[in-house]
Amino acid sequence: MKALKQFNWRLTFILDILAIIMLVSGGTNLFFAVVLTEGALWMVRLLWLSPAMLSYILRRLAQMVPIVLAVLALGFALIQLAPGDMFSQMELDPAISRDQLEMFRRQFRLDQPWYAQFFQYIWNALQGDFGFSRTYRAPVFAIVGQRAWNTILLSLTSLVFAWVLSIPMGVFAATNQYNWKDQFVSIFAFFGLAIPNFFLAFLLLYLISSTGNWLPLGGMTSVGFRNMTATQQFFDVLRHMIVPVVVIGTSVMATLTRVMRGEMLKIMNEQYVTTARAKGQTENKVVYMHALRNAINPMITLLGFQLGNVMSGAALVEIVVAWPGLGSVLLEAVLSQDLYLVVGSLVYGVVLLVIGNLLADIALALVDPRVRIS
């Protein structure tokens, strides 16, 4: 029976490739095809690996539903507080009659109360219709899907950049408490916390432009990107990511460095660390094998919230550096009062935030033996 379970569990990996191929051939974006496939099949694998974990994930996903509905309702209510609607600017065009404007409003159901629009939107969303954007003249889901990958790529790269640097910097500051090395790291951290992201982006762009344009000043790709080889395309996108990743990652790195330093200082005074030193273990082993493993747990807890913060912080940076993400789309949607595009972007953000917190809780349960999901 045990061998059969192991066989069935490994068999699901074959289904990954088949499901992704079917979704992509049906017109689904590759990124969303991978996310949907892995999400569904890992649920199946958890039937063999950890039924308790599966039950916990399903409960958390069920709790996500009222959160998303509350954000949707708030979005519909707030957009109604703004004077006018998405067709108000068209009233200035003498070629468009008032009857035509009223017809447009009826087609988008803007003549109904906000709560009626809200419930109608929920009903349509359950059928796969997330609305139509008047600004871009395309379905909202298609617009969000096109831009979401760019924003996710930028945000995840910024998180990796921040984590890779903040952990050693926090450990370095804690092991050199109160001397000039600790002070230097603290000054850098406070600088990252104090300076606004958009202002730092302007400073970097000015520095690059005044010193020979040694990095791209905006966008995601160069002219002639489609004619490049795969390797050239990779490095071209990487060069365009340097400025926004440094800007977004600096603020995240500043927060994580302070948290890491504080946790390390607290852990270094614990009795088991003193016992490890008394046993004659080297200082590096004490720091990196005993203290760091426990000090990193609060960082994992913060990871879920940081995903949402990075997404929101990336929006303004994307506009400054002309990165083709959801930031410019959301700004244009708000300025033009494109209701369904604003709400679609809100749904995207809140879903990522909730899923990020869920992944952080799962990661904490995997790395910390004191945390168990039952």
Side-chain angles (χ1 to χ4, degrees):
M1 186 67 180
K2 182 177 180 181
L4 179 60
K5 289 184 177 181
Q6 291 178 348
F7 173 76
N8 288 336
W9 173 62
R10 285 163 174 79
L11 183 64
T12 59
F13 285 102
I14 302 176
L15 299 177
D16 288 49
I17 301 175
L18 296 177
I20 292 173
I21 292 175
M22 291 177 61
L23 289 174
V24 172
S25 61
T28 306
N29 181 276
L30 177 61
F31 172 76
F32 287 106
V34 173
V35 171
L36 291 174
T37 300
E38 293 303 318
L41 289 179
W42 271 106
M43 290 290 188
V44 175
R45 292 173 189 129
L46 286 176
L47 289 171
W48 284 273
L49 299 175
S50 177
M53 178 71 77
L54 176 61
S55 176
Y56 172 75
I57 292 175
L58 292 177
R59 288 200 307 270
R60 289 290 299 271
L61 291 177
Q63 294 170 4
M64 184 176 70
V65 175
I67 297 176
V68 174
L69 292 178
V71 171
L72 280 175
L74 183 62
F76 269 90
L78 289 177
I79 202 71
Q80 296 294 330
L81 295 178
D85 54 37
M86 68 177 74
F87 297 107
S88 297
Q89 294 181 352
M90 299 176 64
E91 294 178 352
L92 303 176
D93 189 349
I96 301 177
S97 66
R98 185 171 296 276
D99 292 338
Q100 288 177 313
L101 289 174
E102 294 301 323
M103 181 186 66
F104 292 151
R105 290 189 171 99
R106 284 195 301 271
Q107 288 178 349
F108 282 81
R109 298 184 179 86
L110 298 179
D111 58 331
Q112 302 177 4
W114 72 269
Y115 52 85
Q117 299 177 37
F118 169 71
F119 287 113
Q120 184 64 48
Y121 180 85
I122 296 299
W123 175 252
N124 292 339
L126 293 175
Q127 303 176 60
D129 180 11
F130 290 88
F132 189 86
S133 170
R134 187 194 68 84
T135 305
Y136 289 88
R137 291 176 172 82
V140 169
F141 189 80
I143 299 170
V144 173
Q146 291 172 357
R147 297 296 189 96
W149 163 244
N150 298 338
T151 298
I152 291 174
L153 174 64
L154 182 62
S155 301
L156 292 182
T157 307
S158 301
L159 276 179
V160 172
F161 170 78
W163 271 68
V164 168
L165 292 181
S166 62
I167 293 178
M169 288 176 62
V171 174
F172 178 77
T175 53
N176 295 277
Q177 187 181 14
Y178 298 139
N179 65 19
W180 68 270
K181 299 175 183 177
D182 182 24
Q183 297 298 326
F184 176 79
V185 173
S186 297
I187 291 173
F188 177 79
F190 285 124
F191 171 80
L193 290 171
I195 188 169
N197 283 351
F198 72 92
F199 185 66
L200 179 58
F202 280 125
L203 287 179
L204 290 180
L205 292 178
Y206 174 77
L207 176 64
I208 294 170
S209 63
S210 60
T211 54
N213 293 332
W214 43 278
L215 279 177
L217 295 178
M220 184 177 177
T221 57
S222 302
V223 178
F225 178 79
R226 296 184 180 276
N227 298 326
M228 299 179 183
T229 64
T231 304
Q232 291 174 334
Q233 290 180 347
F234 171 79
F235 284 104
D236 183 63
V237 174
L238 190 63
R239 291 181 70 247
H240 283 79
M241 290 178 63
I242 292 177
V243 172
V245 165
V246 169
V247 171
I248 299 170
T250 297
S251 59
V252 179
M253 180 171 54
T255 303
L256 290 177
T257 299
R258 297 298 300 172
V259 172
M260 192 72 220
R261 177 185 179 276
E263 291 298 320
M264 282 295 296
L265 290 176
K266 182 175 67 175
I267 295 296
M268 294 290 282
N269 294 322
E270 295 289 339
Q271 290 184 354
Y272 67 87
V273 175
T274 304
T275 302
R277 286 195 177 110
K279 290 181 177 180
Q281 296 185 2
T282 62
E283 186 65 17
N284 284 339
K285 190 173 182 179
V286 170
V287 171
Y288 293 103
M289 291 194 62
H290 296 281
L292 180 60
R293 291 177 61 184
N294 291 285
I296 205 172
N297 291 337
M299 304 268 287
I300 298 175
T301 304
L302 289 174
L303 179 61
F305 296 100
Q306 284 175 339
L307 183 60
N309 292 335
V310 168
M311 293 290 182
S312 59
L316 192 55
V317 176
E318 287 176 355
I319 297 171
V320 174
V321 301
W323 183 267
L326 280 177
S328 57
V329 172
L330 182 58
L331 176 63
E332 190 171 356
V334 171
L335 293 178
S336 61
Q337 293 182 304
D338 196 335
L339 173 64
Y340 298 116
L341 188 54
V342 172
V343 173
S345 301
L346 288 176
V347 172
Y348 156 82
V350 72
V351 167
L352 283 181
L353 178 60
V354 174
I355 292 178
N357 280 278
L358 173 60
L359 294 177
D361 291 341
I362 294 173
L364 186 61
L366 294 176
V367 301
D368 190 350
R370 296 171 299 180
V371 179
R372 284 292 175 262
I373 295 175
S374 62

